Amino acid sequence: MKKLCTSIAFAVGLWLPFASFAAFGDTVTYFSKVYYGDGKFRTNAYFDFPEDIEVNTNGGFIIADTFNNVIRKIKADGTVKTVAGTGSYGDAIGSAGQAAFALPKGVDVGGGAVYVADTENDSVKKIDDGVVTTLATDLNAPEDVAVYDSTLYILDTGNNALKKVSTSGGSVSTVTSSLSSPKKMDISDDGTYAYIANSGSYQVKRVNLSTGTVNNVAGSGEEGDDNGSCSSATFSNLWGVHVYSDTILYVSDGNGYDDVVRKIDLAGCTVETFASDSNMISINYPRGLTTHDGSLYVAATGIGIIQQYDLDDANVNSLFAGANRFNVKDSEPVLTGNPKFLARSKDKKTIYFSENNRIRAIDRDDLTRSRLIAGSVIDNYNSDDEESFTGDVARFSDVTSFAVSKNGKKLYVVDRNNNRIREVVIATGETRYLTGAGLVNMTASKENGFADGDACPNEFETGVSGCAYFNRPTGAVLSKDGNFLYVTDASNNRIRRVTVSGENKGRVTTVAGSGDAGFVDETGTDAAFDAPIGIARSRSGTFLFVADRNNHAIRKINLETGAVTTRVGTGSGGNLDATLDRAVLSYPEWLHVARNGDIYFSEVGSQRIRMVDKSAGVTKLVAGSGSRGFHNGSRSAAEFNNPKGLLKIGDTLFVAELYNDLIRAIDVSGEPPYTEDAPTATSVTPGTIAKEWFSGDTASVELVGTNFRNGATAFVGSHEAVNTYVVSSTSIVVEMPISEMPAGYYTVRIANSDGQYDDLYRGLAISENGSVPVTDYYPD
């Protein structure tokens, strides 16, 4: 029987600033915090894509801090406090300090209570006197709530409906189901109407709360950005609406590049621009709106701030709350926002990490401060490829990965939404163009095309002959000799090679992938991938390993022959740790290949970190319960929220965790234990059978034991069972080929899908003509 070897493991090196590990898979926070700023003045607090804001009764504000999964308060004196939530993505009620939300997008205040649209929990929660309860369930991604007297109105966005429930709870009823992707609402002062940002039709709607009648207030129904009469005005992305008076509405609109707050005068029914931003400075992706004491407050969701405007003059405006976009802070404490990728310096003393549109460095012996290498929280592209741009002047649009040059002095950076590969000098932050052409600041809905070719600086058109084109490239790894960068061109479903030095610097060729999404093992461009993301290479430099995300597989490319094979994964999503031909993965994204050939990979589908144990030929759990959230703890109890890039140094595996804004550390010392306990076989019923009992070719017995798993296989002597039926974890029915089996004593083996097995010596005796020969039969 294969025995499990679970060693007691400790953190390697005295530089680790966190508590010592105890066992393989133990997970802790290495640096950063899930959210930060409680007790700080409002402009020193950090919010993470907040989607709503409402005035509290005491002159303060309540904020749906959406991606921090908390409800927060700005008190009248300007200090920030968490009202409810731990910061972990989840679903829990009870004490406000222990409650959990899942991307709450809407809030309102009434009768001393706070009401929350708990969007990804498909519910509405109520916070009252420090206790969180669930008020409404069975909704579909509700995005806003509004209170009037004793009635709570709910925008059930996924069901295109406006619903209502008593503030005390009870049954939920529908006011109207004739909306289209409604985002935010506000109630008229007399409680007669709800005004709704009906984004699906590009219109502002008015719903009679008594009759459910829906009327159009503004918007022609066409997408656009035209002001004018209510009937001819156009909107592009209606996000928020606020009733200021009987005759004035404010609505938020925009696309992240050109964002506006519009003013609707109901008396003359005209639409005009109140405030605008094309620089991602003040109202980027504006959502919730509210007014108080002569000012309009806008939740600028895209940059994590609240902007305050004078209602009489929008030119008089200032930052009201929020320290920075993306939870970014350089020191005391170091905070990272949306980290994606990790790499180390040649001396292993420094970790480089990408976050949103920046690259920073942190020394492992001092986690209290970090330093910027290049980039800004504002995504963009430097317009002249013939020039270099240094430090925070450099602009990227989603740094998904990078590779350290062979001499350790440069980073080769994948600038995903700019469809470029850039190079950055680590010591100075000097950033230069390397290769790529076409669209910049590109969204997923656009296409940049594909072509092998050469570097074409300052070429912003697509389809130019001779130019190299990527389509939202993602992962990168350097060749062993340092001359080439291998890149996963994710939206082109190809693996590309970039020459990074010499006279052909910037030239791009295709290594593998036909371009069509598929799951085909073949050679070179006859192979097919589906959204390849992470990429790593073997220590020898001969093989590349690719996280083939949508195929739920890790692929292997032989650089000498071009052959593409599947290292692990069946093509179907799920979670099963097993031998490599049977293991099932769930959207693997990022890889790290250890010196011994083990492959560590992060899975966004299962919220786990898993590995390919090369010597055992199986996949194993590294850490993660499978629940999305935040929890430090043992291997099977730890929780992650979209784990991304991985980096192994010594016996520690570091994880860039996108939505918890953390770098986590996992103990990977010692022999990796199997995910599940090994099976044990204790008895067979009946223990003795006679060949004369059976007229057919097969016979069945029950095997009793523990830790049986679906997919297990039984062997009776050298004969594999015709069928192995797993009844439960303690019972298996074994159908064996009795006609092929001579009388004698048989050792019965049960093998789980991960290769672990147990043998029951002389578990079954087969007689013939009343006797059992003293002959033993063993599994091969």
Side-chain angles (χ1 to χ4, degrees):
M1 172 181 172
K2 291 182 181 177
K3 301 292 185 181
L4 299 183
C5 179
T6 306
S7 61
I8 301 298
F10 296 92
V12 61
L14 298 178
W15 56 268
L16 290 174
F18 41 80
S20 293
F21 294 126
F24 184 99
D26 279 4
T27 301
V28 298
T29 296
Y30 186 56
F31 69 84
S32 194
K33 296 177 180 291
V34 176
Y35 70 101
Y36 178 77
D38 280 3
K40 303 290 184 181
F41 189 69
R42 49 185 162 79
T43 53
N44 294 322
Y46 290 76
F47 303 94
D48 199 354
F49 298 107
E51 292 220 3
D52 206 6
I53 179 171
E54 289 294 335
V55 179
N56 204 2
T57 53
N58 61 2
F61 297 86
I62 300 295
I63 296 175
D65 195 357
T66 305
F67 272 70
N68 277 330
N69 300 299
V70 293
I71 307 304
R72 301 176 84 178
K73 173 194 295 185
I74 300 176
K75 298 193 290 186
D77 66 2
T79 57
V80 174
K81 177 183 178 181
T82 296
V83 177
T86 64
S88 174
Y89 180 102
D91 189 3
I93 58 175
S95 169
Q98 301 299 317
F101 303 92
L103 300 187
K105 293 187 176 182
V107 291
D108 202 7
V109 180
V114 177
Y115 299 88
V116 181
D118 195 4
T119 307
E120 292 206 352
N121 282 326
D122 299 321
S123 66
V124 169
K125 290 188 169 71
K126 178 180 180 179
I127 309 168
D128 193 10
D129 197 24
V131 177
V132 179
T133 56
T134 300
L135 202 64
T137 59
D138 299 322
L139 306 171
N140 187 357
E143 293 199 19
D144 203 14
V145 289
V147 183
Y148 191 84
D149 287 340
S150 60
T151 301
L152 180 69
Y153 295 93
I154 305 166
L155 273 187
D156 193 7
T157 302
N159 285 322
N160 299 308
L162 173 62
K163 297 180 178 180
K164 65 180 181 180
V165 66
S166 168
T167 54
S168 300
S171 60
V172 177
S173 58
T174 299
V175 178
T176 180
S177 56
S178 299
L179 303 174
S180 178
S181 191
K183 297 295 184 181
K184 290 284 185 283
M185 66 176 162
D186 205 2
I187 308 296
S188 62
D189 289 342
D190 61 5
T192 302
Y193 300 108
Y195 291 89
I196 295 173
N198 201 55
S199 68
S201 68
Y202 309 106
Q203 294 170 315
V204 179
K205 298 288 188 180
R206 186 181 71 185
V207 178
N208 186 305
L209 295 175
S210 298
T211 66
T213 302
V214 181
N215 295 113
N216 193 49
V217 173
S220 68
E222 299 294 325
E223 182 180 5
D225 56 7
D226 296 324
N227 290 323
S229 68
C230 286
S231 59
S232 63
T234 55
F235 302 93
S236 60
N237 285 295
L238 273 170
W239 299 114
V241 60
H242 173 67
V243 177
Y244 174 61
S245 68
D246 290 342
T247 58
I248 300 296
L249 305 178
Y250 291 94
V251 297
S252 53
D253 189 14
N255 58 13
Y257 298 104
D258 294 298
D259 297 293
V260 294
V261 173
R262 319 272 283 277
K263 181 180 178 180
I264 302 175
D265 186 339
L266 296 176
C269 215
T270 57
V271 178
E272 64 183 37
T273 297
F274 173 75
S276 64
D277 177 20
S278 298
N279 297 304
M280 304 182 197
I281 293 174
S282 56
I283 52 171
N284 180 249
Y285 280 119
R287 298 303 209 265
L289 308 163
T290 194
T291 53
H292 177 65
D293 199 21
S295 293
L296 175 72
Y297 297 85
V298 183
T301 302
I303 48 179
I305 65 171
I306 308 298
Q307 192 77 1
Q308 179 182 3
Y309 289 86
D310 188 310
L311 284 168
D312 295 326
D313 184 0
N315 290 317
V316 180
N317 67 86
S318 61
L319 174 68
F320 179 72
N324 205 340
R325 188 186 193 193
F326 288 123
N327 194 49
V328 168
K329 191 171 186 289
D330 286 333
S331 63
E332 297 177 335
V334 175
L335 301 177
T336 178
N338 290 174
K340 285 191 174 178
F341 193 76
L342 303 167
R344 62 168 177 81
S345 60
K346 287 194 72 174
D347 62 10
K348 303 182 184 180
K349 293 180 179 181
T350 301
I351 293 176
Y352 308 122
F353 60 99
S354 69
E355 51 181 7
N356 50 80
N357 311 302
R358 308 187 343 149
I359 303 167
R360 276 196 286 171
I362 190 166
D363 293 333
R364 294 168 62 204
D365 60 0
D366 182 8
L367 299 184
T368 64
R369 61 191 69 254
S370 64
R371 61 187 182 278
L372 177 70
I373 296 177
S376 165
V377 293
I378 304 300
D379 47 324
N380 210 324
Y381 188 74
N382 299 115
S383 57
D384 189 350
D385 288 337
E386 302 289 352
E387 299 293 328
S388 63
F389 300 87
T390 301
D392 61 2
V393 178
R395 292 290 185 271
F396 303 97
S397 184
D398 196 3
V399 179
T400 50
S401 68
F402 50 84
V404 181
S405 65
K406 189 173 179 65
N407 64 9
K409 296 181 179 181
K410 286 184 180 181
L411 301 177
Y412 300 109
V413 179
V414 177
D415 192 359
R416 185 188 191 196
N417 294 333
N418 286 327
N419 297 300
R420 303 296 196 279
I421 308 301
R422 317 273 289 279
E423 56 181 0
V424 178
V425 178
I426 295 172
T428 65
E430 181 185 6
T431 302
R432 301 190 70 94
Y433 167 86
L434 178 56
T435 194
L439 303 177
V440 296
N441 288 318
M442 197 180 84
T443 61
S445 62
K446 295 182 179 180
E447 291 287 331
N448 195 52
F450 159 79
D452 286 337
D454 292 316
C456 288
N458 292 324
E459 182 54 73
F460 301 102
E461 299 296 326
T462 59
V464 176
S465 178
C467 294
Y469 286 90
F470 298 93
N471 195 15
R472 303 186 82 222
T474 306
V477 67
L478 198 66
S479 62
K480 186 176 182 179
D481 61 13
N483 293 326
F484 303 105
L485 185 74
Y486 295 98
V487 177
T488 53
D489 194 1
S491 293
N492 276 327
N493 298 306
R494 291 177 167 98
I495 312 304
R496 316 288 293 280
R497 190 185 78 170
V498 179
T499 302
V500 297
S501 61
E503 62 180 273
N504 295 322
K505 183 176 180 178
R507 180 167 294 174
V508 180
T509 58
T510 297
V511 174
S514 66
D516 294 327
F519 190 22
V520 179
D521 284 342
E522 262 294 350
T523 300
T525 56
D526 290 329
F529 302 86
D530 191 355
I533 303 293
I535 187 169
R537 66 166 172 81
S538 64
R539 190 180 180 193
S540 68
T542 303
F543 301 103
L544 298 178
F545 298 95
V546 177
D548 195 2
R549 183 185 190 276
N550 291 350
N551 281 325
H552 311 284
I554 294 172
R555 313 290 289 282
K556 180 178 179 180
I557 303 173
N558 186 322
L559 290 174
E560 294 179 350
T561 67
V564 178
T565 55
T566 298
R567 177 63 171 152
V568 63
T570 63
S572 298
N575 179 54
L576 177 66
D577 281 319
T579 53
L580 301 186
D581 60 330
R582 303 177 69 183
V584 182
L585 313 186
S586 182
Y587 298 104
E589 286 197 339
W590 297 97
L591 307 168
H592 178 93
V593 177
R595 292 174 65 87
N596 67 354
D598 289 346
I599 303 172
Y600 296 87
F601 58 96
S602 59
E603 284 189 330
V604 68
S606 75
Q607 304 293 338
R608 291 179 170 97
I609 312 300
R610 297 168 68 186
M611 69 178 294
V612 172
D613 185 324
K614 181 180 178 181
S615 62
V618 299
T619 61
K620 295 178 178 179
L621 174 68
V622 177
S625 68
S627 295
R628 180 179 175 184
F630 167 65
H631 181 72
N632 285 323
S634 67
R635 175 185 183 226
S636 60
E639 292 180 358
F640 299 91
N641 193 353
N642 210 320
K644 296 291 186 182
L646 306 173
L647 171 66
K648 184 176 182 287
I649 302 178
D651 288 334
T652 301
L653 182 70
F654 298 97
V655 183
E657 193 178 4
L658 187 74
Y659 289 146
N660 276 333
D661 296 328
L662 300 173
I663 305 300
R664 311 282 284 279
I666 305 172
D667 177 6
V668 290
S669 61
E671 179 71 20
Y674 283 84
T675 302
E676 304 286 346
D677 290 336
T680 61
T682 56
S683 65
V684 173
T685 304
T688 301
I689 59 175
K691 290 182 68 71
E692 297 85 21
W693 294 355
F694 308 99
S695 58
D697 292 332
T698 65
S700 295
V701 294
E702 181 188 17
L703 176 62
V704 175
T706 61
N707 303 322
F708 300 151
R709 299 173 64 193
N710 288 330
T713 303
F715 297 83
V716 184
S718 62
H719 299 274
E720 182 176 350
V722 176
N723 288 295
T724 303
Y725 302 100
V726 180
V727 179
S728 69
S729 63
T730 60
S731 174
I732 285 179
V733 173
V734 180
E735 183 181 2
M736 54 192 173
I738 188 69
S739 62
E740 302 173 8
M741 302 169 65
Y745 292 97
Y746 285 82
T747 293
V748 179
R749 171 175 293 177
I750 181 64
N752 279 340
S753 56
D754 60 4
Q756 295 186 98
Y757 63 86
D758 191 25
D759 288 341
L760 182 60
Y761 175 66
R762 287 195 169 186
L764 177 67
I766 299 178
S767 68
E768 188 171 20
N769 299 321
S771 65
V772 180
V774 186
T775 304
D776 283 290
Y777 298 97
Y778 303 98
D780 293 334

